[in-house]
Amino acid sequence: MINFLCKQLYIIWSQLVTLWLVFTHIFKKADTVEYPDQMPYMFPRWRGRIILSRDPDGEERCVACNLCAVACPVDCIALQKTEDENGRWYPEFFRINFSRCIMCGFCEEACPTHAIQLTPDFEMAEYVRQDMVWEKEDMLISGTGKYHDYNFYKIAGKAIGGKGKGEARNELPPIDRRSLLP
Amino acid sequence: MFEFVVGSPLNIVLILGAVLVAAALLIWVERRVLGFLNERLGPNRVGPWGIAQSLADVGKLITKEDWVPPFADKLPFIVAPIIVPVVMLLSFAVIPIAPGVGIMDLNIGLLWVLAMAGLGSYSAMLGGLASNNKFSLLGGLRAAGQMISYEVFMGISILGIVILSDSFNLREIVEAQHKHGWFVFPQFIGFIVFVIAGLAETKRWPFDLAEGESEIISGFNTEYSGMKFGLFFVGEYIGMLLLSALIPVLFFGGWYAPFGLELPNAIISGIFWMCAKTGCWIFFFILVRAALVRPRYDQLMNYGWLVMLPLSLLNLLVTGAVVLAQGN
Ligand code: SF4
Ligand code: SF4
């Protein structure tokens, strides 16, 4: 009996304490960030809207290797490879369906040329669903994005117009194997 | 200057308008205060501080499709939401707001309020039954059980006041408190029981078992949409307002100022203190909503019949014995 009464009193006491504790919270500062008026700080490595960057010389970085399309878990990247007169590969079209993209960033990790990059922008709402499909012209920026010095064709061994075999950075001139013959 | 007489058309219009506006504002106030209690901001977008939020809500509800499900029982389904606000507004008729301000000076004011509260339970019951939906039925059953049982203690808990003030008339109860001091002190147990039973009666948190979103979707108003749902909603807020106005009238001296802080004009002072006391109670109910958790249904019932009923009977018995011993 005594036990029971004590327990009941304890229950009532705990309810009163709850009321008091919740009441004290009215004097605390609200945690709310009033978003459109007050922009939250977006971290540079935030995975948001996707861009295609250019190399330091202002050429398109993307070489249309399709690695990003393969890595994409929701298959929302579509592109078609083509070549210019110098032998540089580039995408004829490059299309991302942002209504499917889950902003996982796998494409950025898969890309060998740092072409495709995710940015801190997240305000991508559209009124028409078709507007969620972005073309290369919508995504291609004029700068280098997060990686300033990287220039794929300056490093890779592939010969293009104006840069022959063996002229890439850290690359030795090709060896004429026949000259090694005794 | 206008002459304030209980029941004059001016009084009726003003009080009706004030109650409706207050109920609409409460929708916003509650969400805002809840927000602050949860360290959020609450709705603050529509108008200054979000004060026009209720207008936006009403606009939304009115323009929504007013749908009657084909499997529902049409007539009760439509009647049910009308009952709550009407009944709650009728109860407001007897609430004395200040000397000369009020709609009815009824000799059986207290009984009137109880009777109207009793009628109010039909709304949830009918709504739940007519919806012809399992969750609505469960909600309706819960509402019926809860409201009918808590009505019992609500009635008994205020009988002590009737004994002390020798009247069912709310105005005379207020006057008696002016003479003898607030009834909350001699009637403390009755006060506690009344507040808890009142909470259960208005189906407010933590006794919102009839709605219980996390268990039975939205209980008795699951199938309601548009303005029919709006009526339930507004009815609930008028009920909260009624309860918050009734508690000061019964236990905290009504329109009379505490500690002799009387304002110069009797009517203005009355209205001010009545509103202030009501506001405090509204805040308390919002605090309760923010802080306490919903009991299980059997706990609610056990608690009601095994604790509240004996307590209120004991209170009545002791009050009666004391009054008898003092020989009036
Ligand atoms: S972020 Fe993920 S989902 Fe979006 S395009 Fe890149 S790989 Fe696909
Ligand atoms: S964006 Fe990168 S991974 Fe995708 S096709 Fe272009 S170069 Fe390849």
Side-chain angles (χ1 to χ4, degrees):
Chain A
M1 186 66 196
I2 295 293
N3 250 341
F4 175 78
L5 273 183
C6 284
K7 189 152 176 256
Q8 293 304 313
L9 281 181
Y10 175 73
I11 289 173
I12 294 171
W13 169 245
S14 92
Q15 304 277 304
L16 292 178
V17 169
T18 311
L19 280 175
W20 170 250
L21 281 183
V22 174
F23 175 71
T24 57
H25 279 258
I26 206 166
F27 301 112
K28 300 213 171 128
K29 202 178 161 314
D31 284 331
T32 314
V33 177
E34 291 188 86
Y35 152 59
D37 304 338
Q38 188 187 346
M39 292 305 283
Y41 174 69
M42 300 304 292
F43 294 89
R45 285 195 281 175
W46 177 268
R47 302 195 306 264
R49 178 169 59 85
I50 295 175
I51 51 128
L52 291 170
S53 57
R54 292 175 187 271
D55 61 27
D57 301 336
E59 304 277 356
E60 256 178 70
R61 261 180 180 158
C62 176
V63 294
C65 67
N66 266 308
L67 284 176
C68 53
V70 170
C72 179
V74 293
D75 280 351
C76 67
I77 303 180
L79 67 140
Q80 172 66 52
K81 173 232 154 189
T82 188
E83 259 180 74
D84 66 5
E85 63 280 7
N86 287 330
R88 269 181 83 112
W89 289 23
Y90 69 96
E92 188 182 338
F93 67 81
F94 195 107
R95 192 173 291 149
I96 297 185
N97 183 350
F98 277 109
S99 58
R100 275 212 246 159
C101 174
I102 54 173
M103 307 294 174
C104 63
F106 283 7
C107 48
E108 179 172 1
E109 295 197 19
C111 182
T113 66
H114 291 322
I116 193 164
Q117 293 175 11
L118 279 75
T119 62
D121 181 17
F122 60 93
E123 296 169 315
M124 298 184 63
E126 296 285 351
Y127 285 101
V128 182
R129 186 170 297 220
Q130 198 53 39
D131 292 350
M132 299 291 285
V133 179
W134 288 35
E135 297 292 339
K136 186 169 80 175
E137 296 73 51
D138 307 323
M139 292 184 283
L140 198 59
I141 61 167
S142 52
T144 53
K146 284 180 257 189
Y147 308 95
H148 301 298
D149 306 324
Y150 189 72
N151 190 336
F152 176 75
Y153 281 108
K154 289 264 166 67
I155 290 168
K158 181 170 167 52
I160 52 166
K163 189 204 88 174
K165 276 282 181 204
E167 289 171 20
R169 199 180 304 158
N170 291 335
E171 193 187 24
L172 298 174
I175 296 166
D176 183 0
R177 269 178 241 104
R178 293 203 185 86
S179 72
L180 293 176
L181 286 174
Chain B
M1 196 51 199
F2 304 109
E3 194 63 34
F4 277 100
V5 185
V6 174
S8 68
L10 178 75
N11 250 338
I12 295 177
V13 170
L14 282 185
I15 292 178
L16 186 66
V19 168
L20 288 180
V21 168
L25 270 184
L26 263 186
I27 298 176
W28 166 71
V29 167
E30 165 151 49
R31 288 161 67 185
R32 204 76 217 271
V33 174
L34 266 184
F36 287 137
L37 287 169
N38 297 351
E39 293 185 32
R40 297 179 285 119
L41 290 176
N44 64 348
R45 291 276 134 192
V46 197
W49 312 292
I51 202 162
Q53 180 68 36
S54 312
L55 279 183
D57 283 350
V58 170
K60 188 194 84 171
L61 283 175
I62 285 181
T63 48
K64 269 195 169 179
E65 184 184 0
D66 197 3
W67 189 65
V68 180
F71 45 80
D73 204 346
K74 296 270 173 330
L75 184 65
F77 188 83
I78 294 170
V79 170
I82 303 175
I83 297 176
V84 191
V86 169
V87 157
M88 291 299 173
L89 282 177
L90 280 178
S91 308
F92 247 100
V94 292
I95 299 286
I97 294 175
V101 182
I103 296 179
M104 262 194 299
D105 190 4
L106 215 54
N107 270 335
I108 49 160
L110 212 44
L111 290 182
W112 171 267
V113 171
L114 288 178
M116 287 300 143
L119 277 181
S121 58
Y122 275 107
S123 154
M125 258 191 271
L126 281 182
L129 289 177
S131 296
N132 209 355
N133 160 323
K134 292 185 202 71
F135 296 105
S136 299
L137 181 64
L138 279 176
L141 285 179
R142 284 181 177 194
Q146 169 183 333
M147 293 177 81
I148 288 174
S149 12
Y150 273 73
E151 227 156 68
V152 176
F153 336 127
M154 191 166 163
I156 297 176
S157 66
I158 47 184
L159 281 185
I161 289 178
V162 176
I163 294 177
L164 285 183
S165 64
D166 221 1
S167 167
F168 275 112
N169 186 327
L170 289 173
R171 275 175 197 281
E172 280 170 29
I173 290 176
V174 173
E175 295 294 347
Q177 290 182 72
H178 192 44
K179 251 177 266 147
H180 307 304
W182 289 1
F183 282 158
V184 62
F185 302 117
Q187 287 293 312
F188 191 70
I189 294 177
F191 162 67
I192 299 285
V193 174
F194 181 78
V195 170
I196 293 177
L199 271 178
E201 235 355 76
T202 46
K203 300 194 289 303
R204 275 194 61 81
W205 293 259
F207 298 117
D208 64 330
L209 289 115
E211 281 183 41
E213 299 93 343
S214 46
E215 304 159 20
I216 47 174
I217 308 181
S218 190
F220 64 92
N221 55 31
T222 304
E223 295 289 351
Y224 282 90
S225 59
M227 211 47 216
K228 288 206 199 70
F229 171 73
L231 283 178
F232 273 127
F233 204 55
V234 167
E236 186 185 305
Y237 280 99
I238 303 180
M240 175 184 172
L241 203 58
L242 175 74
L243 185 63
S244 312
L246 207 54
I247 292 175
V249 168
L250 292 178
F251 295 98
F252 290 91
W255 65 76
Y256 283 108
F259 321 118
L261 293 173
E262 217 62 66
L263 300 182
N265 183 323
I267 290 183
I268 293 181
S269 157
I271 293 177
F272 172 78
W273 279 110
M274 192 65 198
C275 290
K277 289 172 183 175
T278 308
C280 288
W281 278 99
I282 287 174
F283 177 78
F284 177 75
F285 289 137
I286 297 176
L287 176 63
V288 165
R289 173 178 179 179
L292 299 187
V293 292
R294 187 188 303 142
R296 237 169 34 219
Y297 195 67
D298 61 324
Q299 289 170 336
L300 177 85
M301 280 301 173
N302 276 346
Y303 195 66
W305 289 106
L306 299 183
V307 181
M308 308 281 266
L309 182 64
L311 265 187
S312 53
L313 282 175
L314 202 68
N315 178 47
L316 179 61
L317 202 70
V318 172
T319 313
V322 169
V323 169
L324 210 61
Q326 285 172 346
N328 279 357

